[in-house]
Amino acid sequence: MSAEENKAVVRRFYEELWNARRMETADEIFAEECVTHQLQSGAEVTTAGRSPAALKRHVAEWLEGFPDLRFEVEQMIAEGTEVLSRSVMRGTHAGRWMGVAASHREVSIRMMVVHRIEGGKIVEDWVLVESLGFLQQLGLVPPTVEILSKAAK
């Protein structure tokens, strides 16, 4: 597939699956044996299988906590079988998410994802999310300035 065709698959991931809530899109664009690598600062990379069914559950969990959630793709670069996207996820924490009661706070989460595509389906991805900023926006972690001032004492 061409770089443009691969980018079209990733666009469907954001626009159809997440933004339009068309869960059946997961069956069309994700391989059954897809593998996801979660990249987190200061932690080992966690790797897990992510079938279309698992992805639909993941999306549903996020939408339960952030029913107005939307992605805005700011940049997309493709080379070979890989597509890098830089995006912002925005939404209001209006429902329970990961056991955390609704805070009704608006959040804006930056992320970068590399999707690897084979035969028109996503077979692997690497996900880097601005987790600290997200948790700070929810009020679960103090602001960075406060953390640093305590550490300097």
Side-chain angles (χ1 to χ4, degrees):
M1 291 182 61
S2 72
E4 287 307 311
E5 289 170 320
N6 288 340
K7 286 166 75 173
V9 171
V10 174
R11 271 192 218 91
R12 290 186 70 198
F13 169 74
Y14 291 110
E15 293 302 325
E16 292 180 27
L17 179 62
W18 284 100
N19 290 347
R21 294 15 176 179
R22 290 199 292 259
M23 296 295 183
E24 67 275 8
T25 302
D27 298 313
E28 298 168 12
I29 65 169
F30 269 80
E32 192 63 41
E33 64 285 349
C34 181
V35 175
T36 293
H37 309 279
Q38 292 289 333
L39 310 171
Q40 298 176 359
S41 181
E44 292 292 320
V45 174
T46 58
T47 300
R50 185 156 78 158
S51 67
L55 182 61
K56 287 188 257 187
R57 285 190 301 275
H58 175 75
V59 171
E61 288 168 1
W62 273 94
L63 293 176
E64 183 178 320
F66 301 85
D68 63 345
L69 185 143
R70 298 220 17 107
F71 275 91
E72 176 188 341
V73 176
E74 297 178 325
Q75 184 176 23
M76 195 178 290
I77 301 168
E79 184 175 324
T81 62
E82 295 180 345
V83 178
L84 167 73
S85 59
R86 179 173 48 87
S87 63
V88 180
M89 184 172 73
R90 292 185 174 90
T92 307
H93 184 211
R96 184 166 290 282
W97 176 79
M98 304 267 308
V100 178
S103 67
H104 303 285
R105 293 179 181 209
E106 291 182 11
V107 298
S108 175
I109 309 156
R110 295 203 169 275
M111 58 182 46
M112 296 187 80
V113 181
V114 176
H115 289 98
R116 186 166 64 84
I117 298 158
E118 290 183 1
K121 294 202 176 206
I122 298 167
V123 296
E124 190 171 21
D125 57 11
W126 293 263
V127 182
L128 178 61
V129 178
E130 179 194 9
S131 300
L132 176 61
F134 170 53
L135 296 174
Q136 288 172 328
Q137 290 173 63
L138 288 177
L140 301 173
V141 175
T144 304
V145 172
E146 185 180 323
I147 293 169
L148 292 174
S149 68
K150 286 181 182 178
K153 291 181 181 179

mmCIF file with all atom_site columns, all heavy atoms in Angstrom, residues 98-120:
data_model
loop_
_atom_site.group_PDB
_atom_site.id
_atom_site.type_symbol
_atom_site.label_atom_id
_atom_site.label_alt_id
_atom_site.label_comp_id
_atom_site.label_asym_id
_atom_site.label_entity_id
_atom_site.label_seq_id
_atom_site.pdbx_PDB_ins_code
_atom_site.Cartn_x
_atom_site.Cartn_y
_atom_site.Cartn_z
_atom_site.occupancy
_atom_site.B_iso_or_equiv
_atom_site.pdbx_formal_charge
_atom_site.auth_seq_id
_atom_site.auth_comp_id
_atom_site.auth_asym_id
_atom_site.auth_atom_id
_atom_site.pdbx_PDB_model_num
ATOM 1   N N   . MET A 1 98  ? -11.899 4.800  34.755 1.00 0.00 ? 98  MET A N   1
ATOM 2   C CA  . MET A 1 98  ? -10.856 4.074  35.492 1.00 0.00 ? 98  MET A CA  1
ATOM 3   C C   . MET A 1 98  ? -11.100 4.168  37.003 1.00 0.00 ? 98  MET A C   1
ATOM 4   O O   . MET A 1 98  ? -10.165 4.314  37.787 1.00 0.00 ? 98  MET A O   1
ATOM 5   C CB  . MET A 1 98  ? -9.467  4.601  35.152 1.00 0.00 ? 98  MET A CB  1
ATOM 6   C CG  . MET A 1 98  ? -9.119  4.584  33.698 1.00 0.00 ? 98  MET A CG  1
ATOM 7   S SD  . MET A 1 98  ? -8.247  3.145  33.083 1.00 0.00 ? 98  MET A SD  1
ATOM 8   C CE  . MET A 1 98  ? -6.878  2.942  34.146 1.00 0.00 ? 98  MET A CE  1
ATOM 9   N N   . GLY A 1 99  ? -12.353 4.128  37.420 1.00 0.00 ? 99  GLY A N   1
ATOM 10  C CA  . GLY A 1 99  ? -12.704 4.194  38.831 1.00 0.00 ? 99  GLY A CA  1
ATOM 11  C C   . GLY A 1 99  ? -12.755 5.590  39.409 1.00 0.00 ? 99  GLY A C   1
ATOM 12  O O   . GLY A 1 99  ? -13.093 5.772  40.580 1.00 0.00 ? 99  GLY A O   1
ATOM 13  N N   . VAL A 1 100 ? -12.441 6.610  38.609 1.00 0.00 ? 100 VAL A N   1
ATOM 14  C CA  . VAL A 1 100 ? -12.429 7.995  39.084 1.00 0.00 ? 100 VAL A CA  1
ATOM 15  C C   . VAL A 1 100 ? -13.782 8.637  38.764 1.00 0.00 ? 100 VAL A C   1
ATOM 16  O O   . VAL A 1 100 ? -14.206 8.652  37.610 1.00 0.00 ? 100 VAL A O   1
ATOM 17  C CB  . VAL A 1 100 ? -11.285 8.813  38.422 1.00 0.00 ? 100 VAL A CB  1
ATOM 18  C CG1 . VAL A 1 100 ? -11.316 10.257 38.883 1.00 0.00 ? 100 VAL A CG1 1
ATOM 19  C CG2 . VAL A 1 100 ? -9.937  8.159  38.701 1.00 0.00 ? 100 VAL A CG2 1
ATOM 20  N N   . ALA A 1 101 ? -14.434 9.161  39.818 1.00 0.00 ? 101 ALA A N   1
ATOM 21  C CA  . ALA A 1 101 ? -15.730 9.821  39.628 1.00 0.00 ? 101 ALA A CA  1
ATOM 22  C C   . ALA A 1 101 ? -15.571 11.049 38.746 1.00 0.00 ? 101 ALA A C   1
ATOM 23  O O   . ALA A 1 101 ? -14.506 11.678 38.711 1.00 0.00 ? 101 ALA A O   1
ATOM 24  C CB  . ALA A 1 101 ? -16.307 10.214 40.990 1.00 0.00 ? 101 ALA A CB  1
ATOM 25  N N   . ALA A 1 102 ? -16.633 11.389 38.063 1.00 0.00 ? 102 ALA A N   1
ATOM 26  C CA  . ALA A 1 102 ? -16.631 12.543 37.155 1.00 0.00 ? 102 ALA A CA  1
ATOM 27  C C   . ALA A 1 102 ? -16.195 13.812 37.881 1.00 0.00 ? 102 ALA A C   1
ATOM 28  O O   . ALA A 1 102 ? -16.702 14.125 38.950 1.00 0.00 ? 102 ALA A O   1
ATOM 29  C CB  . ALA A 1 102 ? -18.014 12.731 36.555 1.00 0.00 ? 102 ALA A CB  1
ATOM 30  N N   . SER A 1 103 ? -15.254 14.519 37.291 1.00 0.00 ? 103 SER A N   1
ATOM 31  C CA  . SER A 1 103 ? -14.780 15.797 37.849 1.00 0.00 ? 103 SER A CA  1
ATOM 32  C C   . SER A 1 103 ? -15.427 16.979 37.126 1.00 0.00 ? 103 SER A C   1
ATOM 33  O O   . SER A 1 103 ? -15.346 18.100 37.594 1.00 0.00 ? 103 SER A O   1
ATOM 34  C CB  . SER A 1 103 ? -13.263 15.897 37.718 1.00 0.00 ? 103 SER A CB  1
ATOM 35  O OG  . SER A 1 103 ? -12.897 15.985 36.348 1.00 0.00 ? 103 SER A OG  1
ATOM 36  N N   . HIS A 1 104 ? -16.004 16.706 35.976 1.00 0.00 ? 104 HIS A N   1
ATOM 37  C CA  . HIS A 1 104 ? -16.619 17.721 35.102 1.00 0.00 ? 104 HIS A CA  1
ATOM 38  C C   . HIS A 1 104 ? -15.594 18.739 34.616 1.00 0.00 ? 104 HIS A C   1
ATOM 39  O O   . HIS A 1 104 ? -15.950 19.845 34.228 1.00 0.00 ? 104 HIS A O   1
ATOM 40  C CB  . HIS A 1 104 ? -17.820 18.378 35.780 1.00 0.00 ? 104 HIS A CB  1
ATOM 41  C CG  . HIS A 1 104 ? -18.835 17.363 36.183 1.00 0.00 ? 104 HIS A CG  1
ATOM 42  N ND1 . HIS A 1 104 ? -19.659 16.747 35.270 1.00 0.00 ? 104 HIS A ND1 1
ATOM 43  C CD2 . HIS A 1 104 ? -19.111 16.809 37.391 1.00 0.00 ? 104 HIS A CD2 1
ATOM 44  C CE1 . HIS A 1 104 ? -20.423 15.867 35.896 1.00 0.00 ? 104 HIS A CE1 1
ATOM 45  N NE2 . HIS A 1 104 ? -20.102 15.877 37.177 1.00 0.00 ? 104 HIS A NE2 1
ATOM 46  N N   . ARG A 1 105 ? -14.336 18.337 34.613 1.00 0.00 ? 105 ARG A N   1
ATOM 47  C CA  . ARG A 1 105 ? -13.266 19.196 34.102 1.00 0.00 ? 105 ARG A CA  1
ATOM 48  C C   . ARG A 1 105 ? -13.040 18.900 32.626 1.00 0.00 ? 105 ARG A C   1
ATOM 49  O O   . ARG A 1 105 ? -13.115 17.755 32.198 1.00 0.00 ? 105 ARG A O   1
ATOM 50  C CB  . ARG A 1 105 ? -11.962 18.936 34.855 1.00 0.00 ? 105 ARG A CB  1
ATOM 51  C CG  . ARG A 1 105 ? -12.021 19.351 36.295 1.00 0.00 ? 105 ARG A CG  1
ATOM 52  C CD  . ARG A 1 105 ? -10.715 19.029 36.967 1.00 0.00 ? 105 ARG A CD  1
ATOM 53  N NE  . ARG A 1 105 ? -10.764 19.415 38.369 1.00 0.00 ? 105 ARG A NE  1
ATOM 54  C CZ  . ARG A 1 105 ? -9.713  19.775 39.064 1.00 0.00 ? 105 ARG A CZ  1
ATOM 55  N NH1 . ARG A 1 105 ? -8.522  19.789 38.503 1.00 0.00 ? 105 ARG A NH1 1
ATOM 56  N NH2 . ARG A 1 105 ? -9.831  20.113 40.326 1.00 0.00 ? 105 ARG A NH2 1
ATOM 57  N N   . GLU A 1 106 ? -12.724 19.942 31.882 1.00 0.00 ? 106 GLU A N   1
ATOM 58  C CA  . GLU A 1 106 ? -12.347 19.771 30.487 1.00 0.00 ? 106 GLU A CA  1
ATOM 59  C C   . GLU A 1 106 ? -10.864 19.429 30.442 1.00 0.00 ? 106 GLU A C   1
ATOM 60  O O   . GLU A 1 106 ? -10.068 19.994 31.193 1.00 0.00 ? 106 GLU A O   1
ATOM 61  C CB  . GLU A 1 106 ? -12.620 21.049 29.695 1.00 0.00 ? 106 GLU A CB  1
ATOM 62  C CG  . GLU A 1 106 ? -14.095 21.331 29.542 1.00 0.00 ? 106 GLU A CG  1
ATOM 63  C CD  . GLU A 1 106 ? -14.371 22.565 28.711 1.00 0.00 ? 106 GLU A CD  1
ATOM 64  O OE1 . GLU A 1 106 ? -13.437 23.102 28.069 1.00 0.00 ? 106 GLU A OE1 1
ATOM 65  O OE2 . GLU A 1 106 ? -15.540 22.993 28.708 1.00 0.00 ? 106 GLU A OE2 1
ATOM 66  N N   . VAL A 1 107 ? -10.524 18.477 29.584 1.00 0.00 ? 107 VAL A N   1
ATOM 67  C CA  . VAL A 1 107 ? -9.133  18.071 29.448 1.00 0.00 ? 107 VAL A CA  1
ATOM 68  C C   . VAL A 1 107 ? -8.697  18.164 27.995 1.00 0.00 ? 107 VAL A C   1
ATOM 69  O O   . VAL A 1 107 ? -9.507  18.077 27.075 1.00 0.00 ? 107 VAL A O   1
ATOM 70  C CB  . VAL A 1 107 ? -8.890  16.633 29.981 1.00 0.00 ? 107 VAL A CB  1
ATOM 71  C CG1 . VAL A 1 107 ? -9.203  16.542 31.462 1.00 0.00 ? 107 VAL A CG1 1
ATOM 72  C CG2 . VAL A 1 107 ? -9.688  15.607 29.197 1.00 0.00 ? 107 VAL A CG2 1
ATOM 73  N N   . SER A 1 108 ? -7.401  18.331 27.827 1.00 0.00 ? 108 SER A N   1
ATOM 74  C CA  . SER A 1 108 ? -6.776  18.373 26.517 1.00 0.00 ? 108 SER A CA  1
ATOM 75  C C   . SER A 1 108 ? -5.505  17.538 26.633 1.00 0.00 ? 108 SER A C   1
ATOM 76  O O   . SER A 1 108 ? -4.603  17.897 27.387 1.00 0.00 ? 108 SER A O   1
ATOM 77  C CB  . SER A 1 108 ? -6.454  19.825 26.159 1.00 0.00 ? 108 SER A CB  1
ATOM 78  O OG  . SER A 1 108 ? -5.747  19.880 24.958 1.00 0.00 ? 108 SER A OG  1
ATOM 79  N N   . ILE A 1 109 ? -5.454  16.433 25.926 1.00 0.00 ? 109 ILE A N   1
ATOM 80  C CA  . ILE A 1 109 ? -4.361  15.479 26.072 1.00 0.00 ? 109 ILE A CA  1
ATOM 81  C C   . ILE A 1 109 ? -3.621  15.355 24.747 1.00 0.00 ? 109 ILE A C   1
ATOM 82  O O   . ILE A 1 109 ? -4.205  14.977 23.731 1.00 0.00 ? 109 ILE A O   1
ATOM 83  C CB  . ILE A 1 109 ? -4.902  14.090 26.468 1.00 0.00 ? 109 ILE A CB  1
ATOM 84  C CG1 . ILE A 1 109 ? -5.825  14.206 27.675 1.00 0.00 ? 109 ILE A CG1 1
ATOM 85  C CG2 . ILE A 1 109 ? -3.765  13.120 26.728 1.00 0.00 ? 109 ILE A CG2 1
ATOM 86  C CD1 . ILE A 1 109 ? -6.806  13.062 27.774 1.00 0.00 ? 109 ILE A CD1 1
ATOM 87  N N   . ARG A 1 110 ? -2.350  15.662 24.761 1.00 0.00 ? 110 ARG A N   1
ATOM 88  C CA  . ARG A 1 110 ? -1.518  15.507 23.559 1.00 0.00 ? 110 ARG A CA  1
ATOM 89  C C   . ARG A 1 110 ? -1.000  14.073 23.493 1.00 0.00 ? 110 ARG A C   1
ATOM 90  O O   . ARG A 1 110 ? -0.690  13.473 24.514 1.00 0.00 ? 110 ARG A O   1
ATOM 91  C CB  . ARG A 1 110 ? -0.357  16.475 23.589 1.00 0.00 ? 110 ARG A CB  1
ATOM 92  C CG  . ARG A 1 110 ? -0.847  17.894 23.508 1.00 0.00 ? 110 ARG A CG  1
ATOM 93  C CD  . ARG A 1 110 ? 0.212   18.845 22.991 1.00 0.00 ? 110 ARG A CD  1
ATOM 94  N NE  . ARG A 1 110 ? -0.399  20.125 22.707 1.00 0.00 ? 110 ARG A NE  1
ATOM 95  C CZ  . ARG A 1 110 ? -1.013  20.432 21.576 1.00 0.00 ? 110 ARG A CZ  1
ATOM 96  N NH1 . ARG A 1 110 ? -1.081  19.584 20.600 1.00 0.00 ? 110 ARG A NH1 1
ATOM 97  N NH2 . ARG A 1 110 ? -1.562  21.619 21.401 1.00 0.00 ? 110 ARG A NH2 1
ATOM 98  N N   . MET A 1 111 ? -0.893  13.581 22.274 1.00 0.00 ? 111 MET A N   1
ATOM 99  C CA  . MET A 1 111 ? -0.341  12.235 22.094 1.00 0.00 ? 111 MET A CA  1
ATOM 100 C C   . MET A 1 111 ? 0.312   12.088 20.734 1.00 0.00 ? 111 MET A C   1
ATOM 101 O O   . MET A 1 111 ? 0.023   12.832 19.810 1.00 0.00 ? 111 MET A O   1
ATOM 102 C CB  . MET A 1 111 ? -1.414  11.170 22.296 1.00 0.00 ? 111 MET A CB  1
ATOM 103 C CG  . MET A 1 111 ? -2.589  11.285 21.391 1.00 0.00 ? 111 MET A CG  1
ATOM 104 S SD  . MET A 1 111 ? -3.865  10.025 21.694 1.00 0.00 ? 111 MET A SD  1
ATOM 105 C CE  . MET A 1 111 ? -4.029  10.038 23.444 1.00 0.00 ? 111 MET A CE  1
ATOM 106 N N   . MET A 1 112 ? 1.212   11.113 20.690 1.00 0.00 ? 112 MET A N   1
ATOM 107 C CA  . MET A 1 112 ? 1.845   10.730 19.434 1.00 0.00 ? 112 MET A CA  1
ATOM 108 C C   . MET A 1 112 ? 1.697   9.223  19.308 1.00 0.00 ? 112 MET A C   1
ATOM 109 O O   . MET A 1 112 ? 1.883   8.487  20.279 1.00 0.00 ? 112 MET A O   1
ATOM 110 C CB  . MET A 1 112 ? 3.313   11.137 19.412 1.00 0.00 ? 112 MET A CB  1
ATOM 111 C CG  . MET A 1 112 ? 3.474   12.645 19.464 1.00 0.00 ? 112 MET A CG  1
ATOM 112 S SD  . MET A 1 112 ? 5.148   13.188 19.252 1.00 0.00 ? 112 MET A SD  1
ATOM 113 C CE  . MET A 1 112 ? 5.307   13.075 17.501 1.00 0.00 ? 112 MET A CE  1
ATOM 114 N N   . VAL A 1 113 ? 1.340   8.793  18.112 1.00 0.00 ? 113 VAL A N   1
ATOM 115 C CA  . VAL A 1 113 ? 1.139   7.365  17.857 1.00 0.00 ? 113 VAL A CA  1
ATOM 116 C C   . VAL A 1 113 ? 1.811   7.011  16.536 1.00 0.00 ? 113 VAL A C   1
ATOM 117 O O   . VAL A 1 113 ? 1.705   7.754  15.559 1.00 0.00 ? 113 VAL A O   1
ATOM 118 C CB  . VAL A 1 113 ? -0.368  7.014  17.775 1.00 0.00 ? 113 VAL A CB  1
ATOM 119 C CG1 . VAL A 1 113 ? -0.557  5.525  17.525 1.00 0.00 ? 113 VAL A CG1 1
ATOM 120 C CG2 . VAL A 1 113 ? -1.102  7.458  19.032 1.00 0.00 ? 113 VAL A CG2 1
ATOM 121 N N   . VAL A 1 114 ? 2.486   5.885  16.528 1.00 0.00 ? 114 VAL A N   1
ATOM 122 C CA  . VAL A 1 114 ? 3.001   5.310  15.287 1.00 0.00 ? 114 VAL A CA  1
ATOM 123 C C   . VAL A 1 114 ? 2.192   4.043  15.038 1.00 0.00 ? 114 VAL A C   1
ATOM 124 O O   . VAL A 1 114 ? 2.171   3.138  15.882 1.00 0.00 ? 114 VAL A O   1
ATOM 125 C CB  . VAL A 1 114 ? 4.508   4.984  15.377 1.00 0.00 ? 114 VAL A CB  1
ATOM 126 C CG1 . VAL A 1 114 ? 4.965   4.300  14.089 1.00 0.00 ? 114 VAL A CG1 1
ATOM 127 C CG2 . VAL A 1 114 ? 5.321   6.232  15.657 1.00 0.00 ? 114 VAL A CG2 1
ATOM 128 N N   . HIS A 1 115 ? 1.485   4.013  13.932 1.00 0.00 ? 115 HIS A N   1
ATOM 129 C CA  . HIS A 1 115 ? 0.727   2.820  13.516 1.00 0.00 ? 115 HIS A CA  1
ATOM 130 C C   . HIS A 1 115 ? 1.511   2.124  12.408 1.00 0.00 ? 115 HIS A C   1
ATOM 131 O O   . HIS A 1 115 ? 1.981   2.786  11.475 1.00 0.00 ? 115 HIS A O   1
ATOM 132 C CB  . HIS A 1 115 ? -0.639  3.208  12.953 1.00 0.00 ? 115 HIS A CB  1
ATOM 133 C CG  . HIS A 1 115 ? -1.608  3.706  13.965 1.00 0.00 ? 115 HIS A CG  1
ATOM 134 N ND1 . HIS A 1 115 ? -1.826  5.049  14.192 1.00 0.00 ? 115 HIS A ND1 1
ATOM 135 C CD2 . HIS A 1 115 ? -2.433  3.047  14.803 1.00 0.00 ? 115 HIS A CD2 1
ATOM 136 C CE1 . HIS A 1 115 ? -2.749  5.194  15.124 1.00 0.00 ? 115 HIS A CE1 1
ATOM 137 N NE2 . HIS A 1 115 ? -3.132  3.990  15.516 1.00 0.00 ? 115 HIS A NE2 1
ATOM 138 N N   . ARG A 1 116 ? 1.624   0.801  12.497 1.00 0.00 ? 116 ARG A N   1
ATOM 139 C CA  . ARG A 1 116 ? 2.207   0.013  11.405 1.00 0.00 ? 116 ARG A CA  1
ATOM 140 C C   . ARG A 1 116 ? 1.059   -0.704 10.711 1.00 0.00 ? 116 ARG A C   1
ATOM 141 O O   . ARG A 1 116 ? 0.244   -1.364 11.358 1.00 0.00 ? 116 ARG A O   1
ATOM 142 C CB  . ARG A 1 116 ? 3.238   -0.994 11.918 1.00 0.00 ? 116 ARG A CB  1
ATOM 143 C CG  . ARG A 1 116 ? 3.960   -1.723 10.781 1.00 0.00 ? 116 ARG A CG  1
ATOM 144 C CD  . ARG A 1 116 ? 5.192   -2.462 11.269 1.00 0.00 ? 116 ARG A CD  1
ATOM 145 N NE  . ARG A 1 116 ? 4.886   -3.518 12.192 1.00 0.00 ? 116 ARG A NE  1
ATOM 146 C CZ  . ARG A 1 116 ? 4.525   -4.763 11.859 1.00 0.00 ? 116 ARG A CZ  1
ATOM 147 N NH1 . ARG A 1 116 ? 4.423   -5.112 10.583 1.00 0.00 ? 116 ARG A NH1 1
ATOM 148 N NH2 . ARG A 1 116 ? 4.268   -5.664 12.778 1.00 0.00 ? 116 ARG A NH2 1
ATOM 149 N N   . ILE A 1 117 ? 1.031   -0.582 9.389  1.00 0.00 ? 117 ILE A N   1
ATOM 150 C CA  . ILE A 1 117 ? -0.091  -1.087 8.613  1.00 0.00 ? 117 ILE A CA  1
ATOM 151 C C   . ILE A 1 117 ? 0.392   -2.122 7.607  1.00 0.00 ? 117 ILE A C   1
ATOM 152 O O   . ILE A 1 117 ? 1.396   -1.910 6.921  1.00 0.00 ? 117 ILE A O   1
ATOM 153 C CB  . ILE A 1 117 ? -0.802  0.085  7.899  1.00 0.00 ? 117 ILE A CB  1
ATOM 154 C CG1 . ILE A 1 117 ? -1.347  1.015  8.975  1.00 0.00 ? 117 ILE A CG1 1
ATOM 155 C CG2 . ILE A 1 117 ? -1.903  -0.404 6.977  1.00 0.00 ? 117 ILE A CG2 1
ATOM 156 C CD1 . ILE A 1 117 ? -1.600  2.385  8.591  1.00 0.00 ? 117 ILE A CD1 1
ATOM 157 N N   . GLU A 1 118 ? -0.329  -3.214 7.567  1.00 0.00 ? 118 GLU A N   1
ATOM 158 C CA  . GLU A 1 118 ? -0.070  -4.270 6.567  1.00 0.00 ? 118 GLU A CA  1
ATOM 159 C C   . GLU A 1 118 ? -1.411  -4.703 5.987  1.00 0.00 ? 118 GLU A C   1
ATOM 160 O O   . GLU A 1 118 ? -2.346  -4.978 6.748  1.00 0.00 ? 118 GLU A O   1
ATOM 161 C CB  . GLU A 1 118 ? 0.635   -5.470 7.213  1.00 0.00 ? 118 GLU A CB  1
ATOM 162 C CG  . GLU A 1 118 ? 2.062   -5.188 7.612  1.00 0.00 ? 118 GLU A CG  1
ATOM 163 C CD  . GLU A 1 118 ? 2.768   -6.416 8.188  1.00 0.00 ? 118 GLU A CD  1
ATOM 164 O OE1 . GLU A 1 118 ? 2.153   -7.506 8.265  1.00 0.00 ? 118 GLU A OE1 1
ATOM 165 O OE2 . GLU A 1 118 ? 3.929   -6.276 8.583  1.00 0.00 ? 118 GLU A OE2 1
ATOM 166 N N   . GLY A 1 119 ? -1.488  -4.729 4.682  1.00 0.00 ? 119 GLY A N   1
ATOM 167 C CA  . GLY A 1 119 ? -2.710  -5.187 4.015  1.00 0.00 ? 119 GLY A CA  1
ATOM 168 C C   . GLY A 1 119 ? -3.939  -4.376 4.379  1.00 0.00 ? 119 GLY A C   1
ATOM 169 O O   . GLY A 1 119 ? -5.037  -4.921 4.449  1.00 0.00 ? 119 GLY A O   1
ATOM 170 N N   . GLY A 1 120 ? -3.765  -3.080 4.638  1.00 0.00 ? 120 GLY A N   1
ATOM 171 C CA  . GLY A 1 120 ? -4.890  -2.213 4.942  1.00 0.00 ? 120 GLY A CA  1
ATOM 172 C C   . GLY A 1 120 ? -5.374  -2.267 6.378  1.00 0.00 ? 120 GLY A C   1
ATOM 173 O O   . GLY A 1 120 ? -6.396  -1.673 6.707  1.00 0.00 ? 120 GLY A O   1
#
